[in-house]
Amino acid sequence: MLFRSGSMLTSVSFGAGKFVVAVRAGDGKLIQIVYNSNTKSFVGGWKSEGGFVTKGSSPSCVGVGSNATCVIQGADGKLYAKKLSNSASGL
């Protein structure tokens, strides 16, 4: 299973017809996938963004121009911001 049952998905728009879905993966890493509502398709597959999202928490994301940034709670309890790499690629 790519992500754990009960993991909370988050999504954010970052341009006309584009949004990113992010979630805590089964191994605790932050993963994301881009969706293009104009073509009604996902662009590529799930991509690992690394890091470690604390169990029981979920990423929170915001769209900034043609990019998305997510905030996660790390294993040490601190908050970390991660600009998602290539969040607009292929769109």
Side-chain angles (χ1 to χ4, degrees), residues 3-65:
F3 51 89
R4 296 174 195 242
S5 176
S7 293
M8 300 295 293
L9 295 168
T10 185
S11 64
V12 63
S13 173
F14 62 95
K18 301 177 281 187
F19 67 90
V20 66
V21 177
V23 67
R24 180 183 188 267
D27 61 2
K29 293 180 181 173
L30 176 67
I31 59 173
Q32 58 109 340
I33 193 167
V34 175
Y35 183 79
N36 182 330
S37 64
N38 296 318
T39 61
K40 296 182 172 67
S41 63
F42 288 97
V43 178
W46 288 97
K47 180 177 181 182
S48 176
E49 293 293 339
F52 183 84
V53 182
T54 301
K55 185 177 180 180
S57 69
S58 61
S60 180
C61 303
V62 62
V64 181

Side-chain angles (χ1 to χ4, degrees), residues 53-90:
V53 182
T54 301
K55 185 177 180 180
S57 69
S58 61
S60 180
C61 303
V62 62
V64 181
S66 63
N67 294 295
T69 298
C70 292
V71 175
I72 63 167
Q73 181 181 10
D76 59 3
K78 294 180 182 178
L79 296 178
Y80 295 91
K82 169 75 175 168
K83 180 178 174 186
L84 301 183
S85 59
N86 301 319
S87 55
S89 66

